């Protein structure tokens, strides 16, 4: 059997006052997703264990079979993998944001949306002036990386977008090795303050923020775990990094952007086109999460309806026989503008082979969570259970 798994990132939500206490998912017109539900299996799955940050890295890795309690890879390492930067067990890699800080307050986590060219110039300067066991890597815009030649640094960091408007000295890295990171940040900030390149280019970023600590890990490939040849469709770095970690291919799709303007339909078309070559295709859509972070329920409803119309409908209309799995990685409620750790509802539908629905739900929504016909407590066991439905 072949599978297409659709992950609308951050899809599920909480009641929104302006929507008469309905959620964006309840409000959206999603006839094709509802068709999958009415003719398929449903239930709830806990993608992130208790006391874990519900990040997209942890949640998606868990859905692809990696137990987050056993494997701690971290955002920095996943982004490095997606850019083909190698890390070994003797190194720790972190995300480096160029940010703007004023009077000790984090005022912009994107450093005035610094351009890649300018970020590259600053990265070059950091590499020149901070030597010995540190290497800085340019990425896209404010998103960069730094690799430190120290094995498994014991640190806990916070993302800069979580401390906007707050005093940075109250949110500096913690943990036994915190001073290593704080030292690099202070050194880099001094360089930025004195940088003539920064001054002449009128770059608003005046500091760096290190977070998303990442480590080299060993884990079985997706193929070894499930015996299926897998590929991923996503515009997002960490999802591509997850693919590399699990030795899945990344399918290049034109017109996908990782935001509202993504070409939804192409994701479905390229999945269909590649179904001969792969047994399992993972389509990740960022727009729903983005809308959640913006606190924009209208945009979220629009994104959900586009997923229904342009992805699910396209997959349903195709001749090919395969199964569809649909669920978010975690909720991103517009009310909180960030992720929360809560179970999510899933759908498993099989084209061409009727499954006996295990429920009476007519519409796909958070309502399923109140009385899920099936509850999967550990996200990393989810796919095994789904694949077993077929045997
Ligand atoms: Zn998010």
């Amino acid at each position: 059997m072949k599978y297409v798994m659709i992950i609308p990132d951050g899809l599920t939500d909480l009641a929104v006052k302006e929507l008469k206490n309905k959620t964006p998912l309840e409000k959206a017109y999603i006839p094709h997703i509802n068709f999958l539900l009415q003719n398929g299996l449903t239930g709830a799955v806990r993608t992130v264990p208790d006391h874990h940050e519900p990040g997209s890295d942890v949640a998606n890795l868990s859905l692809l079979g990696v137990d987050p309690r056993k494997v701690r890879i971290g955002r920095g390492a996943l982004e490095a993998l997606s850019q083909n930067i190698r890390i070994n067990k003797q190194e720790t890699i972190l995300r480096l944001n160029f940010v703007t800080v004023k009077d000790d307050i984090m005022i912009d986590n994107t450093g005035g949306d610094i351009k890649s060219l300018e970020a590259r110039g600053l990265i070059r300067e950091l590499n020149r002036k901070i030597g010995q066991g540190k290497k800085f890597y340019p990425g896209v815009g404010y998103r960069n990386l730094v690799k430190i030649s120290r094995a498994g640094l014991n640190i806990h960091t916070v993302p800069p977008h979580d401390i906007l408007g707050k005093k940075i000295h109250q949110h500096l890295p913690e943990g036994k090795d915190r001073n290593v990171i704080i030292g690099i940040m202070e050194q880099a900030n001094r360089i930025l303050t004195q940088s003539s390149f920064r001054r002449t280019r009128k770059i608003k970023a005046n500091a760096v923020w290190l977070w998303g600590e990442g480590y080299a890990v060993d884990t079985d490939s997706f193929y070894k775990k499930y015996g299926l040849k897998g590929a991923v469709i996503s515009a997002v770095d960490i999802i591509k990094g997850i693919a590399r970690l699990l030795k899945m291919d990344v399918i290049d799709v034109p017109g996908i952007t990782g935001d509202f303007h993504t070409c939804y339909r192409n994701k479905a078309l390229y999945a269909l086109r590649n179904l001969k070559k792969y047994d399992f295709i993972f389509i990740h859509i960022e727009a729903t999460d983005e809308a959640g972070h913006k606190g924009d329920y209208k945009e979220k409803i629009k994104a959900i309806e586009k997923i229904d119309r342009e992805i699910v409908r396209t997959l349903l209309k195709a001749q090919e026989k395969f199964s569809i799995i649909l669920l978010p990685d975690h909720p991103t409620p517009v009310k909180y503008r960030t992720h929360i750790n809560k179970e999510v509802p899933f759908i498993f539908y099989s084209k061409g082979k009727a499954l006996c629905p295990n429920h009476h739900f007519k519409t796909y929504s958070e309502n399923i969570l109140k009385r899920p016909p099936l509850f999967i407590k550990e996200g990393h066991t989810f796919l095994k259970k789904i694949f077993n439905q077929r045997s």
Side-chain angles (χ1 to χ4, degrees), residues 218-231:
D218 301 314
T219 182
D220 285 342
S221 69
F222 186 82
Y223 185 79
K224 191 165 179 209
K225 264 187 227 292
Y226 303 111
L228 299 174
K229 236 183 127 200

PDB file of all heavy atoms in Angstrom, residues 218-231:
ATOM      1  N   ASP A 218      22.067   9.349  16.507  1.00  0.00           N
ATOM      2  CA  ASP A 218      21.900   8.181  15.638  1.00  0.00           C
ATOM      3  C   ASP A 218      20.443   7.765  15.692  1.00  0.00           C
ATOM      4  O   ASP A 218      19.877   7.673  16.766  1.00  0.00           O
ATOM      5  CB  ASP A 218      22.717   6.982  16.164  1.00  0.00           C
ATOM      6  CG  ASP A 218      24.191   7.325  16.229  1.00  0.00           C
ATOM      7  OD1 ASP A 218      24.695   7.885  15.247  1.00  0.00           O
ATOM      8  OD2 ASP A 218      24.819   7.022  17.264  1.00  0.00           O
ATOM      9  N   THR A 219      19.866   7.529  14.547  1.00  0.00           N
ATOM     10  CA  THR A 219      18.510   6.992  14.551  1.00  0.00           C
ATOM     11  C   THR A 219      18.312   6.153  13.292  1.00  0.00           C
ATOM     12  O   THR A 219      18.966   6.398  12.280  1.00  0.00           O
ATOM     13  CB  THR A 219      17.445   8.108  14.699  1.00  0.00           C
ATOM     14  OG1 THR A 219      16.165   7.534  14.737  1.00  0.00           O
ATOM     15  CG2 THR A 219      17.503   9.128  13.581  1.00  0.00           C
ATOM     16  N   ASP A 220      17.424   5.169  13.378  1.00  0.00           N
ATOM     17  CA  ASP A 220      17.166   4.324  12.210  1.00  0.00           C
ATOM     18  C   ASP A 220      16.542   5.139  11.090  1.00  0.00           C
ATOM     19  O   ASP A 220      15.807   6.086  11.344  1.00  0.00           O
ATOM     20  CB  ASP A 220      16.186   3.199  12.585  1.00  0.00           C
ATOM     21  CG  ASP A 220      16.871   2.132  13.410  1.00  0.00           C
ATOM     22  OD1 ASP A 220      18.120   2.086  13.387  1.00  0.00           O
ATOM     23  OD2 ASP A 220      16.156   1.363  14.080  1.00  0.00           O
ATOM     24  N   SER A 221      16.793   4.746   9.880  1.00  0.00           N
ATOM     25  CA  SER A 221      16.163   5.420   8.739  1.00  0.00           C
ATOM     26  C   SER A 221      14.672   5.067   8.714  1.00  0.00           C
ATOM     27  O   SER A 221      14.241   4.084   9.319  1.00  0.00           O
ATOM     28  CB  SER A 221      16.805   4.967   7.439  1.00  0.00           C
ATOM     29  OG  SER A 221      16.474   3.617   7.195  1.00  0.00           O
ATOM     30  N   PHE A 222      13.898   5.881   8.018  1.00  0.00           N
ATOM     31  CA  PHE A 222      12.464   5.628   7.863  1.00  0.00           C
ATOM     32  C   PHE A 222      12.255   4.251   7.231  1.00  0.00           C
ATOM     33  O   PHE A 222      11.403   3.478   7.647  1.00  0.00           O
ATOM     34  CB  PHE A 222      11.843   6.727   6.994  1.00  0.00           C
ATOM     35  CG  PHE A 222      10.357   6.647   6.896  1.00  0.00           C
ATOM     36  CD1 PHE A 222       9.547   7.160   7.896  1.00  0.00           C
ATOM     37  CD2 PHE A 222       9.752   6.043   5.799  1.00  0.00           C
ATOM     38  CE1 PHE A 222       8.164   7.078   7.818  1.00  0.00           C
ATOM     39  CE2 PHE A 222       8.366   5.957   5.707  1.00  0.00           C
ATOM     40  CZ  PHE A 222       7.569   6.477   6.716  1.00  0.00           C
ATOM     41  N   TYR A 223      13.084   3.943   6.243  1.00  0.00           N
ATOM     42  CA  TYR A 223      12.966   2.662   5.553  1.00  0.00           C
ATOM     43  C   TYR A 223      13.219   1.502   6.500  1.00  0.00           C
ATOM     44  O   TYR A 223      12.497   0.502   6.513  1.00  0.00           O
ATOM     45  CB  TYR A 223      13.929   2.600   4.365  1.00  0.00           C
ATOM     46  CG  TYR A 223      13.738   1.344   3.562  1.00  0.00           C
ATOM     47  CD1 TYR A 223      12.693   1.243   2.653  1.00  0.00           C
ATOM     48  CD2 TYR A 223      14.571   0.238   3.754  1.00  0.00           C
ATOM     49  CE1 TYR A 223      12.473   0.084   1.935  1.00  0.00           C
ATOM     50  CE2 TYR A 223      14.358  -0.940   3.045  1.00  0.00           C
ATOM     51  CZ  TYR A 223      13.312  -1.008   2.139  1.00  0.00           C
ATOM     52  OH  TYR A 223      13.097  -2.157   1.448  1.00  0.00           O
ATOM     53  N   LYS A 224      14.238   1.660   7.342  1.00  0.00           N
ATOM     54  CA  LYS A 224      14.562   0.580   8.274  1.00  0.00           C
ATOM     55  C   LYS A 224      13.425   0.369   9.293  1.00  0.00           C
ATOM     56  O   LYS A 224      13.099  -0.746   9.686  1.00  0.00           O
ATOM     57  CB  LYS A 224      15.873   0.889   8.994  1.00  0.00           C
ATOM     58  CG  LYS A 224      16.392  -0.303   9.754  1.00  0.00           C
ATOM     59  CD  LYS A 224      17.822  -0.189  10.180  1.00  0.00           C
ATOM     60  CE  LYS A 224      18.197  -1.448  10.966  1.00  0.00           C
ATOM     61  NZ  LYS A 224      19.228  -1.167  11.950  1.00  0.00           N
ATOM     62  N   LYS A 225      12.826   1.469   9.686  1.00  0.00           N
ATOM     63  CA  LYS A 225      11.724   1.393  10.661  1.00  0.00           C
ATOM     64  C   LYS A 225      10.480   0.718  10.083  1.00  0.00           C
ATOM     65  O   LYS A 225       9.840  -0.085  10.740  1.00  0.00           O
ATOM     66  CB  LYS A 225      11.295   2.807  11.053  1.00  0.00           C
ATOM     67  CG  LYS A 225      11.937   3.331  12.329  1.00  0.00           C
ATOM     68  CD  LYS A 225      11.276   4.665  12.658  1.00  0.00           C
ATOM     69  CE  LYS A 225      12.300   5.701  12.985  1.00  0.00           C
ATOM     70  NZ  LYS A 225      13.021   5.481  14.206  1.00  0.00           N
ATOM     71  N   TYR A 226      10.113   1.113   8.856  1.00  0.00           N
ATOM     72  CA  TYR A 226       8.811   0.696   8.331  1.00  0.00           C
ATOM     73  C   TYR A 226       8.870  -0.134   7.048  1.00  0.00           C
ATOM     74  O   TYR A 226       7.832  -0.594   6.578  1.00  0.00           O
ATOM     75  CB  TYR A 226       7.947   1.930   8.054  1.00  0.00           C
ATOM     76  CG  TYR A 226       7.746   2.812   9.264  1.00  0.00           C
ATOM     77  CD1 TYR A 226       8.329   4.075   9.324  1.00  0.00           C
ATOM     78  CD2 TYR A 226       6.974   2.388  10.342  1.00  0.00           C
ATOM     79  CE1 TYR A 226       8.143   4.895  10.428  1.00  0.00           C
ATOM     80  CE2 TYR A 226       6.792   3.200  11.452  1.00  0.00           C
ATOM     81  CZ  TYR A 226       7.372   4.453  11.488  1.00  0.00           C
ATOM     82  OH  TYR A 226       7.195   5.249  12.578  1.00  0.00           O
ATOM     83  N   GLY A 227      10.034  -0.236   6.453  1.00  0.00           N
ATOM     84  CA  GLY A 227      10.124  -0.966   5.189  1.00  0.00           C
ATOM     85  C   GLY A 227       9.456  -0.235   4.039  1.00  0.00           C
ATOM     86  O   GLY A 227       9.055  -0.842   3.051  1.00  0.00           O
ATOM     87  N   LEU A 228       9.273   1.086   4.171  1.00  0.00           N
ATOM     88  CA  LEU A 228       8.651   1.872   3.103  1.00  0.00           C
ATOM     89  C   LEU A 228       9.631   2.930   2.628  1.00  0.00           C
ATOM     90  O   LEU A 228      10.359   3.516   3.427  1.00  0.00           O
ATOM     91  CB  LEU A 228       7.387   2.574   3.620  1.00  0.00           C
ATOM     92  CG  LEU A 228       6.243   1.688   4.132  1.00  0.00           C
ATOM     93  CD1 LEU A 228       5.148   2.550   4.738  1.00  0.00           C
ATOM     94  CD2 LEU A 228       5.670   0.834   3.005  1.00  0.00           C
ATOM     95  N   LYS A 229       9.593   3.176   1.316  1.00  0.00           N
ATOM     96  CA  LYS A 229      10.457   4.218   0.768  1.00  0.00           C
ATOM     97  C   LYS A 229       9.740   5.552   0.903  1.00  0.00           C
ATOM     98  O   LYS A 229       8.650   5.743   0.356  1.00  0.00           O
ATOM     99  CB  LYS A 229      10.700   3.907  -0.721  1.00  0.00           C
ATOM    100  CG  LYS A 229      12.169   3.809  -1.046  1.00  0.00           C
ATOM    101  CD  LYS A 229      12.399   3.576  -2.509  1.00  0.00           C
ATOM    102  CE  LYS A 229      13.368   4.630  -2.992  1.00  0.00           C
ATOM    103  NZ  LYS A 229      13.368   4.863  -4.396  1.00  0.00           N
ATOM    104  N   GLY A 230      10.331   6.468   1.662  1.00  0.00           N
ATOM    105  CA  GLY A 230       9.619   7.705   1.986  1.00  0.00           C
ATOM    106  C   GLY A 230      10.235   8.951   1.392  1.00  0.00           C
ATOM    107  O   GLY A 230      11.440   9.012   1.136  1.00  0.00           O
ATOM    108  N   ALA A 231       9.388   9.960   1.175  1.00  0.00           N
ATOM    109  CA  ALA A 231       9.861  11.262   0.703  1.00  0.00           C
ATOM    110  C   ALA A 231       9.022  12.359   1.347  1.00  0.00           C
ATOM    111  O   ALA A 231       7.912  12.107   1.832  1.00  0.00           O
ATOM    112  CB  ALA A 231       9.756  11.347  -0.810  1.00  0.00           C
TER     113      ALA A 231
END
